[in-house]
Amino acid sequence: LELWAKVLTKDESAAEGEADPEKESQRRQLIDQVVEWALPESESADEVSCTVKAFMAADLPGELITLLERIILQGSDFSDNKNLQNLLILTAIRADHTRVAGYIDQLDNFDAKDIALICVSESHMLYEEAYSIYNKFAKPEHTTDKEEQVEMQVLAIGVLVDYMKDLDRAKGFANQVDEKPVWSKLGIAQLEEKMAADAITSFINAEDASEYVKVCAEANEAEIYTELIPYLKMARKSLQENLLDTELIYAYAKTNNLTDLEVFVNGPNVANIQTVGDRLFSEGLYHAAKILFKSINNNSKLALCHIHLEEYREAVAAATQANNVSTWKQVCFACLKAEEYRLAATCGLEVIKYPDHVDDVVTYYSDLGYFDHLVSLFEQGLGLEDAHIGIFTELGILYTKHVPEKVTEHCKVFFSKLNVSKVVRACERARLWSPAVYLYMADKQADNAVKVMTEHASAFDNDLFLDSIVKVRNGEIMYKAVNFYLTMHPMIFTRLMEVLEEHVDHSRVVNQLRRTGDWALQIGQAYMKSVQKSNLSAVNEALNELYIEDEDYESLRKSIDQFQNFNMIALASKLATHELLEFRRISAYVYRCNKKWSQSIELSKNDRMWKDCIDTANESADEETIENLLRFFCETSEKECFCAALYTCFGHVRPDVALELGWLNGYQHFIMPFLIQNMRQTYDRLKVLEDRTKPPPEEDNQDAIAGTYSQLSGFNNGMLMLENGGGMGGMMPPQQAGIDMSGFAQGGMPQGGMPQGGGMSNPAMMQQMNGMGPGIPNGYGGGM
C-alpha cells in the first residue's frame, strides 16, 4: 500500500503545478497497465484487494470504476464478489451516477437494500435507480422468500410515493403486484395527498382498517359517503370500534340509505347513536335522526324530528312519552305556528304546569296574536289537578287585556289563588279600577283601595268606600276622604262622617269644613250635632254660627245650655246687636252665665225684658246691682216691675232702701209685702235670740235649745214668707186691683224670691192688708 501510495499519489510540487511532465506520463502509463492487464489477470485476492484500496485511498474514482469494470464485468475470478460489486455501484453513485442504472441491471450480487438507501439519500437522490433495485430484487429469480419479495415491493412503492410522488405509477405498480402491504402503503400515501376515494379503494384492496380514523375524517371532509360505506363494512370485519359504527350510520344517513340504516341500528353495534343522531338532527337529516332517536327511545329528540317533518300528531305522542317541559314547549310552539290549535293546547296544558315556563307560553301566543286561544288555554288550565297560583294569576292578567268583563268575577272566585300584586298592576294598566279596588280590599290594602276610588270616579262605590275607609292605616287618608266627599259626593257626606265619627279629630274636620266654605258647614251640620256631645270648642262654635245664620234661637239656646266649651263672650258680643229680639236675649243670657251682670242687664233693659233684668240681678246677689235696678224701675215708673224685683230679690234688698224708694215714689202699697215679710223674719229672729238667751229651766231643755239653733238658717232662705193664718195672714188687696205678676216667675218664683206657699196667696190676708194703718193707702193693689 505504501508503494501504491507512492506511485498513485502526486508529489507536492505536482500539486502546486510544477510537476515534471515526464514523471506524470510515466505514472499514468503505470496505472493504465495495471488496470488493463495486470490486475484483471491476477488471481490473488490480496493483490486485488490491495490495489482497490490503493485506488480508493488515492481518490481516483474514474480509474477505480474502470478497474472494477475490468475485474467484474469481463469475467475474472472476482466477478461475483459482493464487495467489489457494492464498491462499483457506490463508486458510480459518487463519481458517475449515469452508470448506476446499468450496473444495477448487470450485477446481481450486491446489497440491494443498502445500495437503495444510499441512492435515495438527500446527497444523491437517485430515486429511479433505487426503485429499479427494489423492483429487481422483488422478483422470484432474485429473492425466493415470499416475505422478502413483498418487503421489496413495499420498499419499491415507497420510493414511488415517498420520494418520486408519482401516485399514478405507484397505483399501476400496486395493480401489477397486487399485494396487500403494497396497497396499504399506497393507501396511506393517497390519504396524505387528500385522495380520499383512491385511498379508500387501496385500503379495501389491502383489507387494511388501521387508518380508519384518518380515512373517516378525510371521507367526511370530502363528503364521499358512498365510497366510505364499503370501507367501513370491511373495517368492521376486523375491528369493533365505536367510531366505525358511528360513521357507518352517518354514511347511511348521508346517502339516504334509510333501509340499511334501520337494519344496522336495530342489529348489534357499538355506535354512539345519540351523538350521530344529534349530528344528523343539526344537519337537517330528520328522517334518519328519527330512526336513531326511536331506536334509543330518546322521545324528546324524536318529537322534534316529527315537528320538522310536520308530523304533529306523532310529535305530541312522542312528547307524551318524553314528558319533559322543554319538549312539551317546543312541540306546543311548533303546533301553534302550524295552526294546529288543539294539539298546541294539549301541549300547552302540560307546559303551564310549570310556573317558570308560563311567561314563555304567554309571550309566544301573544307574539303570534292568538289571544283567544291563549285565554282558552289558561281557562282549561284551571281544571288541572296541579294547577298553581301562576295559572290563576296569568289568566287574571289576560282577562284584563282581552276579556275585561270577566276580571271581577275571576278575582272574586279565585282570590285566594291569585298573586294579588300582579293582577292589581294589570288592572291598573288596563284602567279597570273596580276590580283593582276589590283586590285591594280583599288583600287588606284599604289605603290603596281608598286611593283608587278617590282618584277614579268609575271605581267609586259608596258602601265599599265606607267599608274600607275605617280600615286604613294612614289616618291622613280619612281627612282626604272628607275633602273628597265634600267635593264629589256632598249629598252623602253625613253617611261618611257617621262611619268616621270614632276615628277622626272632629276639630280638624270642622276646620276643613270651614276652609271649604259655608255650604260645607251646612252639609256637615248633622255630623256636628252628632259629635257635639264631645263638647269641643270648634264644633260648638260652628253649630252656634249655623243656628244664628238659620235664626234658630231655640236650638242655639239649647246648645248654649248644654255645651259651653266655646268663646261665650265673643258670641254674646256678636248677638248683642242682632236684629232679632230672641238672639239679643240669648246674648244677655250668655253674659249672665259668665257673670257679666251689668252687660246682661243693660241688654235686657234696652229690649224692655224686665223679667230677664230681675232674674239676672237676683242671680248676681249684688246689692248695688239690685238697688240700681230698683231705682231704674222707679225712674221709669215701672211699679209692677219694682214690686216684682222686691219679691224676687227679697233676700238681697236692704229694708231701708225699699222703704226709701217706696216713700219717695209713692209705692207704699208695692213695698208692703216686702215689709210684712221682713217684719216676720225679724220677729222670728228675735224669738230665736230670746230662746237662745233664756236660761234653761232644767238640764233636759239643752237638747231642745240645740235643736232650735240648728233649725235657724237666716230668714228662711232669705225669702219673703207670708203664711196663711199667721201674723198678717188676713191682709189682701182687692182682687180687681191686685198686682199683675203674670210676666214673672210663672210656675214658682226664682231663688231668693217669695215662695208660692208662703207668699200672699191667701185672699183673706190680702184683704186684711187693705185695712192697715194710715201709712198704707187704700189703693195699694189697684195703684199698680
Side-chain angles (χ1 to χ4, degrees):
L1 289 176
E2 293 178 1
L3 179 60
W4 276 111
K6 183 68 175 175
V7 173
L8 297 177
T9 304
K10 296 180 180 180
D11 56 15
E12 295 179 2
S13 60
E16 294 176 0
E18 299 178 359
D20 188 357
E22 184 177 354
K23 288 184 179 181
E24 181 64 25
S25 175
Q26 293 175 356
R27 191 177 71 83
R28 186 75 249 172
Q29 291 178 3
L30 178 59
I31 293 173
D32 291 342
Q33 290 178 0
V34 171
V35 172
E36 293 292 337
W37 305 104
L39 195 60
E41 294 179 357
S42 177
E43 296 180 357
S44 173
D46 292 336
E47 292 178 356
V48 173
S49 175
C50 183
T51 303
V52 170
K53 290 180 180 179
F55 273 78
M56 292 175 63
D59 193 17
L60 298 171
E63 290 78 0
L64 181 59
I65 290 173
T66 304
L67 175 61
L68 292 175
E69 283 182 350
R70 295 298 298 273
I71 295 172
I72 297 172
L73 297 180
Q74 293 183 6
S76 68
D77 293 337
F78 301 101
S79 297
D80 294 330
N81 188 284
K82 178 178 289 188
N83 292 329
L84 292 177
Q85 289 189 9
N86 288 338
L87 181 58
L88 175 59
I89 296 174
L90 292 174
T91 303
I93 292 172
R94 178 184 175 189
D96 187 3
H97 59 79
T98 58
R99 297 182 180 187
V100 175
Y103 293 154
I104 292 172
D105 291 338
Q106 294 177 30
L107 302 178
D108 297 325
N109 189 23
F110 57 87
D111 292 325
K113 294 182 181 179
D114 297 333
I115 299 299
L117 288 175
I118 294 173
C119 289
V120 298
S121 64
E122 292 183 1
S123 59
H124 303 295
M125 295 187 291
L126 300 174
Y127 304 132
E128 192 67 44
E129 288 77 1
Y131 170 72
S132 299
I133 292 172
Y134 290 134
N135 192 22
K136 179 179 180 179
F137 282 88
K139 295 179 181 179
E141 56 266 25
H142 296 286
T143 303
T144 57
D145 188 10
K146 182 65 175 177
E147 292 183 1
E148 290 186 7
Q149 291 178 10
V150 173
E151 182 181 0
M152 287 298 179
Q153 291 170 351
V154 172
L155 292 172
I157 199 170
V159 173
L160 293 175
V161 299
D162 295 336
Y163 299 101
M164 300 175 69
K165 305 297 181 183
D166 191 348
L167 296 182
D168 291 337
R169 186 176 176 186
K171 184 177 182 180
F173 177 75
N175 284 322
Q176 180 183 350
V177 299
D178 195 21
E179 293 292 342
K180 293 180 180 179
V182 175
W183 284 112
S184 295
K185 183 67 175 178
L186 176 61
I188 293 173
Q190 291 171 331
L191 202 60
E192 292 176 353
E193 294 298 325
K194 304 296 182 181
M195 300 172 62
D198 292 338
I200 289 173
T201 302
S202 298
F203 282 122
I204 291 174
N205 291 333
E207 297 182 1
D208 181 9
S210 61
E211 298 294 330
Y212 69 90
V213 176
K214 291 184 178 179
V215 171
C216 292
E218 293 297 332
N220 283 323
E221 183 177 349
E223 298 185 355
I224 49 173
Y225 302 105
T226 303
E227 294 80 355
L228 181 61
I229 290 175
Y231 171 80
L232 295 174
K233 289 181 177 180
M234 177 275 297
R236 291 187 74 247
K237 294 178 181 179
S238 58
L239 297 175
Q240 189 175 8
E241 293 291 339
N242 173 277
L243 179 62
L244 292 175
D245 289 1
T246 301
E247 289 298 327
L248 181 56
I249 291 174
Y250 185 73
Y252 278 140
K254 294 294 286 186
T255 57
N256 202 29
N257 194 348
L258 300 181
T259 302
D260 290 342
L261 172 62
E262 188 170 3
V263 172
F264 179 81
V265 169
N266 292 329
N269 64 82
V270 292
N272 190 338
I273 295 179
Q274 180 64 49
T275 301
V276 71
D278 292 338
R279 183 179 177 187
L280 294 174
F281 183 86
S282 64
E283 295 179 5
L285 300 175
Y286 302 116
H287 287 286
K290 179 177 71 172
I291 295 173
L292 297 182
F293 291 134
K294 187 175 182 180
S295 68
I296 59 174
N297 292 324
N298 188 338
N299 293 296
S300 297
K301 282 297 186 72
L302 178 60
L304 301 183
C305 291
H306 285 304
I307 288 174
H308 288 287
L309 297 173
E310 298 183 359
E311 299 171 351
Y312 298 108
R313 294 184 181 278
E314 292 80 358
V316 174
T320 303
Q321 294 179 345
N323 196 27
N324 67 72
V325 64
S326 177
T327 303
W328 280 120
K329 186 161 62 174
Q330 294 184 38
V331 175
C332 173
F333 294 167
C335 293
L336 186 64
K337 194 171 183 179
E339 299 184 357
E340 293 286 346
Y341 303 119
R342 187 179 62 81
L343 297 177
T346 300
C347 300
L349 287 174
E350 299 296 331
V351 177
I352 63 176
K353 290 180 180 178
Y354 301 89
D356 294 341
H357 298 275
V358 170
D359 290 341
D360 295 338
V361 174
V362 173
T363 301
Y364 198 84
Y365 269 83
S366 300
D367 290 345
L368 294 178
Y370 298 138
F371 303 112
D372 293 340
H373 295 288
L374 178 60
V375 172
S376 176
L377 170 64
F378 277 88
E379 287 178 342
Q380 296 177 49
L382 299 181
L384 295 174
E385 293 182 1
D386 46 357
H388 52 82
I389 189 173
I391 295 177
F392 295 92
T393 300
E394 197 59 44
L395 180 57
I397 295 173
L398 291 173
Y399 277 154
T400 63
K401 297 177 180 178
H402 311 297
V403 196
E405 60 273 12
K406 291 187 178 182
V407 175
T408 303
E409 180 183 0
H410 179 76
C411 293
K412 290 180 178 179
V413 175
F414 301 109
F415 171 77
S416 60
K417 299 180 179 180
L418 294 177
N419 184 329
V420 175
S421 60
K422 283 188 175 182
V423 179
V424 164
R425 287 195 297 270
C427 291
E428 291 177 345
R429 287 194 297 269
R431 290 176 170 76
L432 300 176
W433 308 115
S434 295
V437 169
Y438 172 80
L439 289 172
Y440 278 133
M441 285 300 299
D443 198 37
K444 298 181 180 180
Q445 299 184 42
D447 299 56
N448 291 329
V450 172
K451 180 180 178 182
V452 171
M453 284 190 280
T454 55
E455 293 178 353
H456 306 283
S458 60
F460 178 78
D461 180 87
N462 186 51
D463 293 336
L464 190 59
F465 191 96
L466 297 179
D467 181 44
S468 60
I469 192 63
V470 296
K471 299 177 182 178
V472 297
R473 296 183 177 91
N474 185 357
E476 290 298 317
I477 296 178
M478 296 183 181
Y479 300 104
K480 292 180 181 179
V482 171
N483 287 332
F484 171 70
Y485 264 71
L486 287 173
T487 305
M488 304 301 297
H489 306 283
M491 302 308 295
I492 52 177
F493 175 77
T494 303
R495 176 63 183 135
L496 171 69
M497 299 317 298
E498 289 176 359
V499 174
L500 294 181
E501 182 174 331
E502 302 297 329
H503 305 278
V504 296
D505 180 356
H506 304 303
S507 298
R508 181 174 176 180
V509 173
V510 171
N511 290 333
Q512 284 183 265
L513 296 175
R514 286 185 180 279
R515 289 194 300 269
T516 305
D518 294 339
W519 61 270
L521 288 173
Q522 292 287 352
I523 291 174
Q525 184 173 0
Y527 151 71
M528 290 187 288
K529 286 182 178 179
S530 67
V531 300
Q532 195 177 14
K533 59 181 176 290
S534 301
N535 197 21
L536 300 175
S537 174
V539 176
N540 294 336
E541 290 177 359
L543 278 175
N544 292 341
E545 291 177 7
L546 290 176
Y547 292 147
I548 294 171
E549 184 179 347
D550 295 340
E551 298 181 352
D552 186 358
Y553 62 87
E554 293 180 354
S555 298
L556 178 60
R557 180 65 176 268
K558 182 178 179 182
S559 173
I560 293 172
D561 287 340
Q562 295 179 355
F563 310 104
Q564 298 183 352
N565 182 18
F566 62 95
N567 190 341
M568 300 182 74
I569 300 302
L571 177 64
S573 299
K574 181 179 179 180
L575 295 177
T577 58
H578 200 282
E579 61 182 1
L580 296 182
L581 172 63
E582 290 298 330
F583 286 100
R584 293 196 298 274
R585 290 187 67 192
I586 291 174
S587 176
Y589 172 72
V590 172
Y591 278 128
R592 185 174 76 184
C593 292
N594 286 272
K595 299 183 180 181
K596 303 293 183 180
W597 315 113
S598 59
Q599 290 95 323
S600 177
I601 292 173
E602 286 299 322
L603 281 176
S604 299
K605 285 179 181 179
N606 293 336
D607 291 327
R608 301 182 64 81
M609 301 303 297
W610 310 127
K611 180 180 182 301
D612 292 346
C613 293
I614 295 170
D615 291 339
T616 302
N618 180 56
E619 186 175 343
S620 70
D622 180 56
E623 293 181 358
E624 183 180 357
T625 300
I626 297 173
E627 183 176 342
N628 290 336
L629 181 61
L630 290 173
R631 295 184 183 277
F632 171 78
F633 286 146
C634 292
E635 292 172 0
T636 57
S637 301
E638 296 289 345
K639 298 178 286 185
E640 294 84 356
C641 294
F642 176 79
C643 183
L646 290 175
Y647 176 83
T648 304
C649 305
F650 173 78
H652 309 296
V653 179
R654 298 201 314 269
D656 61 307
V657 174
L659 286 172
E660 177 187 356
L661 294 176
W663 177 66
L664 291 176
N665 295 283
Y667 292 167
Q668 291 85 351
H669 293 289
F670 292 94
I671 66 172
M672 189 54 63
F674 172 81
L675 293 176
I676 295 172
Q677 182 64 26
N678 184 266
M679 292 178 66
R680 173 62 184 267
Q681 286 191 349
T682 302
Y683 169 78
D684 290 339
R685 293 176 66 187
L686 291 174
K687 185 176 180 181
V688 170
L689 289 174
E690 290 176 356
D691 292 339
R692 286 176 59 188
T693 57
K694 181 176 65 175
E698 57 187 38
E699 193 172 330
D700 295 339
N701 292 336
Q702 296 297 325
D703 294 337
I705 295 172
T708 302
Y709 280 118
S710 66
Q711 293 176 3
L712 182 63
S713 57
F715 296 98
N716 195 15
N717 292 329
M719 246 184 209
L720 179 61
M721 297 296 294
L722 299 176
E723 298 180 2
N724 294 334
M728 298 171 66
M731 297 175 60
M732 183 174 178
Q735 291 288 333
Q736 64 276 9
I739 300 174
D740 184 8
M741 304 291 288
S742 61
F744 303 96
Q746 285 85 354
M749 294 300 293
Q751 183 179 2
M754 295 172 62
Q756 294 181 4
M760 298 172 62
S761 58
N762 193 327
M765 181 182 71
M766 297 301 294
Q767 290 176 3
Q768 292 176 5
M769 290 177 62
N770 292 330
M772 292 182 64
I776 301 176
N778 291 331
Y780 176 77
M784 296 177 66

